[in-house]
Amino acid sequence: MKTLKAENKDFLLVNTLDAKHFAQTRIPDSINIPLSQGGFTDKVLNTAGSKQKLVVVYCASDDCDSSTKAAKELDDAGFNVADYEGGAAAWKASGEPLAV
């Protein structure tokens, strides 16, 4: 994902956790669309504007499967999607700051 950001690629970065966990796991420029709430794919489509736009989903860490489930749901719906494995923990471990 650092490469996508460095190359200024046009993509939507989605944190799939519930809102109460978003503040602790927020990667800069990400938005929160919780998988647990109804209408997840519709909300992503409304925000992305198109299923062709790259949507990168992530959650807290390798121990979290929220983004994996979200990626499958979006893929099944025909989205251009990638799962940022390792999530916020991997981002922070790479030396990048989380947003506050």
Side-chain angles (χ1 to χ4, degrees):
M1 189 173 58
K2 288 169 94 174
T3 303
L4 290 173
K5 284 182 164 273
E7 294 176 354
N8 291 317
K9 296 288 185 185
D10 183 28
F11 68 99
L12 178 65
L13 181 58
V14 177
N15 180 311
T16 62
L17 297 172
D18 290 333
K20 66 181 179 182
H21 299 292
F22 181 52
Q24 298 92 354
T25 58
R26 184 168 184 230
I27 293 173
D29 301 321
S30 67
I31 62 164
N32 185 223
I33 303 177
L35 176 64
S36 62
Q37 293 180 352
F40 176 74
T41 55
D42 289 336
K43 290 176 184 174
V44 172
L45 180 58
N46 287 339
T47 306
S50 164
K51 289 184 177 184
Q52 286 71 44
K53 182 173 185 168
L54 177 60
V55 176
V56 178
V57 293
Y58 78 96
C59 55
S61 67
D62 283 326
D63 296 331
C64 174
D65 66 351
S66 175
S67 65
T68 303
K69 290 178 181 177
K72 182 177 180 345
E73 190 171 315
L74 292 172
D75 186 57
D76 290 348
F79 282 81
N80 179 15
V81 63
D83 183 4
Y84 180 52
E85 296 177 14
W91 180 259
K92 192 172 179 182
S94 75
E96 296 294 333
L98 294 174
V100 258

